[in-house]
Amino acid sequence: MIIDVSFKQTGFKKESSLMTKYAITAATGNLGQAAVKELNKLVGADNVVVIARNEEKAAKLFPNNEVRRGDYEDVESMNAALKGIDRVLFISSQPGGKIGRAEEHQNVINAMKNNSVKFVAYTSFPDAQNSTTPLAEDHRITENAIKAAGIEHSFLRDNWYLENEIGFLQSGSANQPVLYWANNHAGWALEREYAEAAAKIVANDNPQEVYELAGKARTYDDLGHALQKATGNDFEIKQVSEDDYIAALEKTGLDHDTAALFASFQSPIDTGALDENSDDLEKALGHELTPIEDAIKEILAR
């Protein structure tokens, strides 16, 4: 078992560059990078402002875009970064910062309101308003804060990125047993597909308020069999208890707390929080998703 410890909606309209300025926050992350490239194609790089904490990194990644520093923990930096911006792709932060994620997000919302931003597309969590998983809480708070601010919006409720399963995929690629403990479904799709959808939605002149973005609902057993076909390997696909899964991770060299943390990433799947049947992702993309076996091959080839 291998574990990697590094952690058809169509109708968008290319609007006049004289009227619309776009921005993507947290743009140097994987999702942000892919979204910037897609939005550049849709509306032109001259109309897309890249916002990131690390301006130097962003400038190297996006030499054709205007780069502005914006730190979610610093509302004044966000006020400056969003000056003159009409439409924003607001990529949610990672938990564990100096201040709580809900507070970080409120700083961004305040800055958008201060700058009279017309529209925001926010990357949220599946069924954020009703989900009982702890992962949904900050997203629910943020959705409500965006509504309270009176900003026109779309909530992009992303399901699970297939890249989240890199350890599972690498195990099968190495013809080793693939283990899992969660006994439910997830809507896996490539991160770049979620990014492409996000860019198309923020450029859409008539978007939905809520998008439940997900691939086809699959179990880990389904994913394992797709992995067998993608690799040509005949490894064992085995469901174990959460405790046994943690023990297996420990055998790879992880300490108990780290192993338990990684095991916890399957909790939203086990509880059914990611068990969706929605075609919003394909509609937003305007085309079918990458077939799961091809998506697996794409990740393993990186």
Side-chain angles (χ1 to χ4, degrees):
M1 182 183 188
I2 296 174
I3 185 73
D4 184 340
V5 297
S6 61
F7 259 88
K8 247 156 158 213
Q9 168 94 10
T10 57
F12 78 87
K13 182 169 73 176
K14 186 172 181 178
E15 301 183 55
S16 169
S17 61
L18 297 176
M19 296 178 62
T20 306
K21 200 74 170 178
Y22 300 82
I24 296 180
T25 68
T28 57
N30 292 334
L31 184 73
Q33 290 182 46
V36 170
K37 291 174 183 177
E38 182 64 26
L39 193 56
N40 283 348
K41 290 189 290 184
L42 294 173
V43 303
D46 289 347
N47 300 313
V48 180
V49 174
V50 169
I51 298 176
R53 285 184 299 180
N54 188 328
E55 288 179 275
E56 182 178 359
K57 178 180 179 181
K60 289 179 180 178
L61 288 170
F62 306 111
N64 298 318
N65 292 85
E66 179 184 352
V67 174
R68 299 180 187 177
R69 180 183 175 275
D71 186 338
Y72 291 1
E73 296 178 354
D74 178 2
V75 67
E76 291 308 317
S77 76
M78 293 306 305
N79 276 331
L82 291 170
K83 185 176 181 180
I85 299 298
D86 299 297
R87 299 174 73 86
V88 176
L89 173 55
F90 174 12
I91 297 176
S92 58
S93 69
Q94 296 296 320
K98 293 179 182 178
I99 61 176
R101 183 159 61 166
E103 185 177 349
E104 288 182 333
H105 290 180
Q106 187 64 60
N107 285 343
V108 180
I109 294 165
N110 290 343
M112 288 192 292
K113 189 172 182 179
N114 291 343
N115 282 286
S116 300
V117 166
K118 297 180 178 67
F119 173 84
V120 58
Y122 168 68
T123 60
S124 189
F125 188 87
D127 194 23
Q129 291 298 321
N130 301 303
S131 178
T132 58
T133 181
L135 291 175
E137 183 177 358
D138 289 337
H139 295 290
R140 180 165 51 249
I141 291 170
T142 303
E143 287 189 4
N144 291 338
I146 289 171
K147 292 178 183 178
I151 304 170
E152 185 182 349
H153 56 269
S154 286
F155 297 139
L156 317 184
R157 294 176 175 168
D158 291 356
N159 203 285
W160 237 222
Y161 304 152
L162 185 58
E163 286 85 347
N164 292 349
E165 308 299 342
I166 185 62
F168 184 95
L169 301 181
Q170 288 177 336
S171 292
S173 180
N175 211 12
Q176 296 181 11
V178 295
L179 307 181
Y180 65 95
W181 69 268
N183 187 31
N184 217 314
H185 299 77
W188 289 291
L190 290 167
E191 188 170 14
R192 67 168 175 80
E193 292 175 314
Y194 287 102
E196 179 187 342
K200 288 181 172 178
I201 290 166
V202 82
N204 192 325
D205 62 342
N206 188 32
Q208 299 171 195
E209 181 180 14
V210 175
Y211 291 83
E212 295 288 349
L213 301 175
K216 178 182 176 182
R218 292 182 169 90
T219 64
Y220 272 109
D221 187 64
D222 296 331
L223 186 62
H225 282 96
L227 180 57
Q228 287 178 331
K229 292 180 180 179
T231 61
N233 294 337
D234 189 26
F235 47 81
E236 181 183 15
I237 306 166
K238 185 177 181 181
Q239 183 178 15
V240 297
S241 69
E242 184 176 6
D243 287 343
D244 286 346
Y245 185 80
I246 292 171
L249 293 180
E250 290 174 335
K251 288 180 181 178
T252 70
L254 297 182
D255 62 74
H256 177 77
D257 288 347
T258 303
L261 176 64
F262 273 92
S264 73
F265 296 162
Q266 292 189 18
S267 293
I269 299 175
D270 190 64
T271 63
L274 305 180
D275 188 356
E276 294 188 296
N277 286 292
S278 169
D279 61 358
D280 281 354
L281 182 53
E282 287 191 336
K283 286 182 177 179
L285 289 170
H287 59 75
E288 293 182 351
L289 291 172
T290 304
I292 190 66
E293 292 165 26
D294 292 340
I296 290 169
K297 290 177 182 178
E298 179 178 321
I299 291 172
L300 291 175
R302 293 174 186 170

